[in-house]
Short mmCIF file of all heavy atoms in Angstrom, two decimals:
data_model
loop_
_atom_site.label_atom_id
_atom_site.label_comp_id
_atom_site.label_asym_id
_atom_site.label_seq_id
_atom_site.Cartn_x
_atom_site.Cartn_y
_atom_site.Cartn_z
N TYR A 23 -22.13 -2.99 14.49
CA TYR A 23 -20.80 -2.81 15.11
C TYR A 23 -19.78 -3.69 14.45
O TYR A 23 -18.58 -3.22 14.22
CB TYR A 23 -20.86 -2.90 16.58
CG TYR A 23 -21.60 -1.79 17.36
CD1 TYR A 23 -22.83 -2.09 17.87
CD2 TYR A 23 -20.95 -0.54 17.47
CE1 TYR A 23 -23.55 -1.02 18.56
CE2 TYR A 23 -21.59 0.53 18.12
CZ TYR A 23 -22.91 0.27 18.65
OH TYR A 23 -23.55 1.21 19.31
N THR A 24 -20.12 -4.98 14.32
CA THR A 24 -19.18 -5.89 13.76
C THR A 24 -19.04 -5.81 12.30
O THR A 24 -18.23 -6.59 11.67
CB THR A 24 -19.62 -7.36 14.12
OG1 THR A 24 -20.96 -7.54 13.88
CG2 THR A 24 -19.26 -7.63 15.58
N LYS A 25 -19.62 -4.73 11.66
CA LYS A 25 -19.36 -4.55 10.28
C LYS A 25 -18.55 -3.27 10.13
O LYS A 25 -17.41 -3.20 9.84
CB LYS A 25 -20.69 -4.32 9.48
CG LYS A 25 -20.60 -4.40 7.93
CD LYS A 25 -20.12 -3.17 7.30
CE LYS A 25 -20.11 -3.20 5.78
NZ LYS A 25 -19.66 -1.97 5.22
N HIS A 26 -19.10 -2.08 10.55
CA HIS A 26 -18.54 -0.81 10.21
C HIS A 26 -17.17 -0.57 10.97
O HIS A 26 -16.33 0.05 10.50
CB HIS A 26 -19.42 0.37 10.24
CG HIS A 26 -19.77 0.85 11.69
ND1 HIS A 26 -20.94 0.36 12.27
CD2 HIS A 26 -19.16 1.63 12.57
CE1 HIS A 26 -21.07 0.94 13.48
NE2 HIS A 26 -20.01 1.66 13.66
N LEU A 27 -17.13 -1.04 12.23
CA LEU A 27 -15.94 -0.87 13.02
C LEU A 27 -14.71 -1.58 12.48
O LEU A 27 -13.64 -1.26 12.80
CB LEU A 27 -16.19 -1.24 14.50
CG LEU A 27 -17.09 -0.31 15.26
CD1 LEU A 27 -17.23 -0.77 16.74
CD2 LEU A 27 -16.64 1.13 15.28
N PHE A 28 -15.00 -2.63 11.79
CA PHE A 28 -13.99 -3.56 11.26
C PHE A 28 -13.87 -3.50 9.74
O PHE A 28 -12.72 -3.26 9.12
CB PHE A 28 -14.19 -4.93 11.79
CG PHE A 28 -14.28 -4.96 13.26
CD1 PHE A 28 -15.50 -4.89 13.84
CD2 PHE A 28 -13.11 -5.15 14.02
CE1 PHE A 28 -15.58 -4.90 15.27
CE2 PHE A 28 -13.22 -5.16 15.35
CZ PHE A 28 -14.40 -5.10 16.00
N ASP A 29 -14.92 -3.81 9.08
CA ASP A 29 -14.97 -3.80 7.56
C ASP A 29 -14.58 -2.37 7.03
O ASP A 29 -13.64 -2.16 6.32
CB ASP A 29 -16.34 -4.13 7.09
CG ASP A 29 -16.60 -4.09 5.61
OD1 ASP A 29 -16.10 -3.32 4.93
OD2 ASP A 29 -17.29 -5.07 5.14
N ASN A 30 -15.22 -1.36 7.50
CA ASN A 30 -15.18 0.02 7.00
C ASN A 30 -13.71 0.56 7.43
O ASN A 30 -13.06 1.31 6.61
CB ASN A 30 -16.22 0.89 7.49
CG ASN A 30 -17.53 0.62 6.99
OD1 ASN A 30 -17.83 -0.52 6.74
ND2 ASN A 30 -18.47 1.52 6.92
N ARG A 31 -13.29 0.26 8.58
CA ARG A 31 -12.06 0.85 9.07
C ARG A 31 -10.85 -0.05 8.71
O ARG A 31 -9.99 0.44 7.85
CB ARG A 31 -12.13 0.97 10.60
CG ARG A 31 -10.74 1.51 11.21
CD ARG A 31 -10.91 1.97 12.63
NE ARG A 31 -11.74 1.08 13.48
CZ ARG A 31 -11.84 1.24 14.88
NH1 ARG A 31 -11.20 2.31 15.38
NH2 ARG A 31 -12.48 0.47 15.50
N TYR A 32 -10.79 -1.28 9.22
CA TYR A 32 -9.60 -2.06 8.96
C TYR A 32 -9.65 -2.71 7.51
O TYR A 32 -8.59 -2.81 6.88
CB TYR A 32 -9.47 -3.18 10.00
CG TYR A 32 -9.45 -2.66 11.44
CD1 TYR A 32 -10.47 -2.76 12.35
CD2 TYR A 32 -8.25 -2.03 11.85
CE1 TYR A 32 -10.38 -2.27 13.55
CE2 TYR A 32 -8.12 -1.53 13.12
CZ TYR A 32 -9.23 -1.62 14.03
OH TYR A 32 -9.16 -1.06 15.29
N GLY A 33 -10.80 -3.00 7.04
CA GLY A 33 -10.87 -3.57 5.78
C GLY A 33 -10.59 -2.59 4.69
O GLY A 33 -9.64 -2.81 3.83
N THR A 34 -11.31 -1.44 4.67
CA THR A 34 -11.04 -0.40 3.63
C THR A 34 -9.57 0.13 3.80
O THR A 34 -8.93 0.50 2.87
CB THR A 34 -12.01 0.75 3.77
OG1 THR A 34 -13.30 0.19 3.68
CG2 THR A 34 -11.80 1.77 2.69
N GLY A 35 -9.20 0.38 5.10
CA GLY A 35 -7.81 0.85 5.37
C GLY A 35 -6.79 0.09 4.58
O GLY A 35 -5.88 0.60 4.01
N GLN A 36 -6.81 -1.22 4.87
CA GLN A 36 -5.83 -2.12 4.27
C GLN A 36 -6.05 -2.31 2.75
O GLN A 36 -5.05 -2.21 1.95
CB GLN A 36 -5.85 -3.50 4.84
CG GLN A 36 -4.86 -4.50 4.35
CD GLN A 36 -4.72 -5.85 5.10
OE1 GLN A 36 -4.65 -5.76 6.33
NE2 GLN A 36 -4.74 -6.95 4.45
N SER A 37 -7.25 -2.55 2.33
CA SER A 37 -7.45 -2.93 0.87
C SER A 37 -7.31 -1.77 -0.08
O SER A 37 -6.95 -1.99 -1.19
CB SER A 37 -8.90 -3.64 0.73
OG SER A 37 -9.93 -2.70 1.05
N ALA A 38 -7.62 -0.52 0.37
CA ALA A 38 -7.48 0.58 -0.48
C ALA A 38 -6.03 0.86 -0.74
O ALA A 38 -5.62 1.05 -1.92
CB ALA A 38 -8.13 1.87 0.13
N LEU A 39 -5.19 0.77 0.23
CA LEU A 39 -3.78 0.96 0.06
C LEU A 39 -3.22 -0.22 -0.75
O LEU A 39 -2.35 -0.11 -1.55
CB LEU A 39 -3.03 1.00 1.40
CG LEU A 39 -2.92 2.44 2.03
CD1 LEU A 39 -2.01 3.35 1.15
CD2 LEU A 39 -4.24 3.12 2.30
N ASP A 40 -3.67 -1.42 -0.51
CA ASP A 40 -3.35 -2.57 -1.35
C ASP A 40 -3.60 -2.43 -2.78
O ASP A 40 -2.78 -2.63 -3.68
CB ASP A 40 -4.12 -3.83 -0.87
CG ASP A 40 -3.74 -5.08 -1.58
OD1 ASP A 40 -2.60 -5.20 -2.11
OD2 ASP A 40 -4.61 -5.99 -1.69
N GLY A 41 -4.75 -1.84 -3.15
CA GLY A 41 -5.13 -1.55 -4.51
C GLY A 41 -4.15 -0.50 -5.15
O GLY A 41 -3.75 -0.64 -6.38
N ILE A 42 -3.93 0.50 -4.38
CA ILE A 42 -3.00 1.59 -4.91
C ILE A 42 -1.55 0.99 -5.12
O ILE A 42 -0.96 1.20 -6.13
CB ILE A 42 -2.92 2.78 -3.95
CG1 ILE A 42 -4.26 3.49 -3.91
CG2 ILE A 42 -1.75 3.72 -4.25
CD1 ILE A 42 -4.46 4.48 -2.82
N LEU A 43 -1.07 0.20 -4.20
CA LEU A 43 0.27 -0.39 -4.33
C LEU A 43 0.30 -1.35 -5.56
O LEU A 43 1.24 -1.40 -6.30
CB LEU A 43 0.59 -1.11 -3.05
CG LEU A 43 0.89 -0.17 -1.83
CD1 LEU A 43 1.03 -1.00 -0.59
CD2 LEU A 43 2.16 0.65 -2.07
N ARG A 44 -0.72 -2.21 -5.72
CA ARG A 44 -0.72 -3.10 -6.84
C ARG A 44 -0.74 -2.35 -8.15
O ARG A 44 -0.20 -2.77 -9.08
CB ARG A 44 -1.88 -4.07 -6.69
CG ARG A 44 -1.81 -5.06 -5.59
CD ARG A 44 -2.66 -6.23 -5.88
NE ARG A 44 -3.19 -6.91 -4.66
CZ ARG A 44 -3.91 -7.95 -4.65
NH1 ARG A 44 -4.32 -8.54 -5.80
NH2 ARG A 44 -4.25 -8.54 -3.51
N ALA A 45 -1.62 -1.35 -8.20
CA ALA A 45 -1.71 -0.62 -9.47
C ALA A 45 -0.51 0.18 -9.82
O ALA A 45 -0.18 0.26 -11.05
CB ALA A 45 -2.91 0.32 -9.40
N THR A 46 0.21 0.71 -8.82
CA THR A 46 1.32 1.75 -9.17
C THR A 46 2.78 1.22 -8.94
O THR A 46 3.64 1.62 -9.55
CB THR A 46 1.10 2.95 -8.32
OG1 THR A 46 1.27 2.66 -6.93
CG2 THR A 46 -0.24 3.56 -8.55
N ASN A 47 2.84 0.20 -8.04
CA ASN A 47 4.13 -0.20 -7.58
C ASN A 47 5.05 0.86 -7.07
O ASN A 47 6.27 0.92 -7.32
CB ASN A 47 4.83 -1.00 -8.71
CG ASN A 47 6.09 -1.83 -8.28
OD1 ASN A 47 6.07 -2.25 -7.11
ND2 ASN A 47 7.13 -1.93 -9.08
N LEU A 48 4.47 1.90 -6.41
CA LEU A 48 5.18 3.04 -5.89
C LEU A 48 5.29 2.98 -4.40
O LEU A 48 4.44 2.34 -3.62
CB LEU A 48 4.46 4.26 -6.33
CG LEU A 48 4.49 4.55 -7.86
CD1 LEU A 48 3.71 5.92 -8.10
CD2 LEU A 48 5.90 4.64 -8.42
N LEU A 49 6.17 3.74 -3.88
CA LEU A 49 6.42 3.78 -2.42
C LEU A 49 5.42 4.84 -1.79
O LEU A 49 5.28 5.91 -2.31
CB LEU A 49 7.86 4.26 -2.18
CG LEU A 49 8.38 4.18 -0.69
CD1 LEU A 49 8.44 2.84 -0.17
CD2 LEU A 49 9.74 4.94 -0.59
N ILE A 50 4.89 4.44 -0.62
CA ILE A 50 4.02 5.33 0.03
C ILE A 50 4.80 6.22 1.02
O ILE A 50 4.53 7.44 1.19
CB ILE A 50 2.96 4.58 0.90
CG1 ILE A 50 2.08 3.69 -0.06
CG2 ILE A 50 2.06 5.48 1.70
CD1 ILE A 50 1.20 4.49 -1.01
N ALA A 51 5.86 5.65 1.63
CA ALA A 51 6.67 6.38 2.60
C ALA A 51 7.23 7.70 1.99
O ALA A 51 7.78 7.62 0.85
CB ALA A 51 7.78 5.51 3.09
N GLY A 52 7.12 8.71 2.76
CA GLY A 52 7.67 10.00 2.26
C GLY A 52 6.71 10.81 1.45
O GLY A 52 7.08 11.97 1.13
N LYS A 53 5.60 10.24 1.00
CA LYS A 53 4.72 11.00 0.20
C LYS A 53 3.60 11.61 1.11
O LYS A 53 3.32 11.18 2.19
CB LYS A 53 3.98 10.04 -0.85
CG LYS A 53 4.92 9.57 -1.95
CD LYS A 53 4.18 8.82 -2.97
CE LYS A 53 5.04 8.56 -4.22
NZ LYS A 53 6.23 7.80 -3.94
N THR A 54 2.92 12.64 0.52
CA THR A 54 1.75 13.26 1.22
C THR A 54 0.50 12.62 0.62
O THR A 54 0.24 12.71 -0.54
CB THR A 54 1.75 14.74 0.95
OG1 THR A 54 2.95 15.35 1.48
CG2 THR A 54 0.49 15.42 1.55
N VAL A 55 -0.28 11.92 1.50
CA VAL A 55 -1.49 11.29 1.09
C VAL A 55 -2.71 12.09 1.65
O VAL A 55 -2.79 12.37 2.85
CB VAL A 55 -1.53 9.87 1.69
CG1 VAL A 55 -2.97 9.20 1.43
CG2 VAL A 55 -0.48 9.00 1.05
N VAL A 56 -3.57 12.55 0.73
CA VAL A 56 -4.76 13.34 1.11
C VAL A 56 -5.91 12.35 1.18
O VAL A 56 -6.25 11.77 0.20
CB VAL A 56 -4.92 14.49 0.07
CG1 VAL A 56 -6.27 15.18 0.50
CG2 VAL A 56 -3.76 15.41 0.09
N VAL A 57 -6.52 12.34 2.36
CA VAL A 57 -7.73 11.48 2.54
C VAL A 57 -8.94 12.34 2.63
O VAL A 57 -9.10 13.15 3.57
CB VAL A 57 -7.58 10.53 3.78
CG1 VAL A 57 -8.82 9.67 4.00
CG2 VAL A 57 -6.35 9.75 3.66
N ALA A 58 -9.88 12.21 1.65
CA ALA A 58 -11.10 13.01 1.69
C ALA A 58 -12.20 12.24 2.46
O ALA A 58 -12.58 11.13 2.04
CB ALA A 58 -11.54 13.23 0.25
N GLY A 59 -12.58 12.77 3.61
CA GLY A 59 -13.61 12.13 4.45
C GLY A 59 -12.95 11.39 5.59
O GLY A 59 -11.94 10.74 5.43
N TYR A 60 -13.54 11.64 6.82
CA TYR A 60 -13.00 10.99 8.01
C TYR A 60 -14.05 10.18 8.74
O TYR A 60 -14.15 10.25 9.98
CB TYR A 60 -12.29 12.02 8.95
CG TYR A 60 -11.25 11.36 9.82
CD1 TYR A 60 -10.04 10.83 9.30
CD2 TYR A 60 -11.50 11.37 11.21
CE1 TYR A 60 -9.08 10.35 10.09
CE2 TYR A 60 -10.46 10.86 12.01
CZ TYR A 60 -9.24 10.30 11.53
OH TYR A 60 -8.37 9.78 12.33
N GLY A 61 -14.90 9.50 7.95
CA GLY A 61 -15.77 8.50 8.56
C GLY A 61 -14.97 7.28 8.87
O GLY A 61 -13.66 7.29 8.91
N TRP A 62 -15.53 6.15 9.08
CA TRP A 62 -14.86 4.93 9.43
C TRP A 62 -13.88 4.52 8.28
O TRP A 62 -12.79 3.99 8.56
CB TRP A 62 -15.82 3.79 9.79
CG TRP A 62 -16.48 4.08 11.15
CD1 TRP A 62 -17.75 4.42 11.32
CD2 TRP A 62 -15.85 4.15 12.46
NE1 TRP A 62 -18.00 4.64 12.71
CE2 TRP A 62 -16.78 4.42 13.33
CE3 TRP A 62 -14.49 3.88 12.78
CZ2 TRP A 62 -16.51 4.56 14.69
CZ3 TRP A 62 -14.23 4.00 14.24
CH2 TRP A 62 -15.24 4.35 15.17
N CYS A 63 -14.31 4.68 7.06
CA CYS A 63 -13.37 4.25 5.87
C CYS A 63 -12.23 5.25 5.83
O CYS A 63 -11.06 4.80 5.77
CB CYS A 63 -14.17 4.33 4.65
SG CYS A 63 -15.44 3.02 4.44
N GLY A 64 -12.47 6.55 6.03
CA GLY A 64 -11.41 7.53 6.02
C GLY A 64 -10.46 7.30 7.12
O GLY A 64 -9.25 7.47 6.99
N ARG A 65 -10.93 6.97 8.35
CA ARG A 65 -10.16 6.72 9.48
C ARG A 65 -9.15 5.56 9.20
O ARG A 65 -7.97 5.63 9.50
CB ARG A 65 -10.95 6.36 10.67
CG ARG A 65 -11.75 7.46 11.37
CD ARG A 65 -12.54 6.87 12.50
NE ARG A 65 -13.27 7.85 13.29
CZ ARG A 65 -14.56 8.26 12.99
NH1 ARG A 65 -15.13 7.71 11.99
NH2 ARG A 65 -15.13 9.18 13.71
N GLY A 66 -9.74 4.52 8.59
CA GLY A 66 -8.85 3.35 8.33
C GLY A 66 -7.76 3.63 7.29
O GLY A 66 -6.60 3.23 7.44
N VAL A 67 -8.14 4.37 6.25
CA VAL A 67 -7.13 4.68 5.23
C VAL A 67 -6.10 5.62 5.70
O VAL A 67 -4.85 5.41 5.47
CB VAL A 67 -7.85 5.39 4.01
CG1 VAL A 67 -6.86 5.99 2.97
CG2 VAL A 67 -8.77 4.40 3.30
#
């Protein structure tokens, strides 16, 4: 519980978007983001 509820959800949610922002320097607001999969990682993203 102290791994997937936090690492997979809050960790992946924040760090995946962080990686995209660092790589692209683009704005997320106003865009359509397609998330494939709605497990704990997908929920977080």
Side-chain angles (χ1 to χ4, degrees):
Y23 289 106
T24 46
K25 197 279 184 182
H26 74 264
L27 291 179
F28 302 92
D29 179 318
N30 297 28
R31 176 167 44 173
Y32 301 109
T34 305
Q36 178 171 314
S37 64
L39 271 298
D40 180 31
I42 292 168
L43 290 169
R44 289 201 208 185
T46 66
N47 193 32
L48 296 178
L49 186 68
I50 300 294
K53 288 186 171 63
T54 298
V55 173
V56 177
V57 180
Y60 204 67
W62 289 109
C63 292
R65 288 178 177 92
V67 171

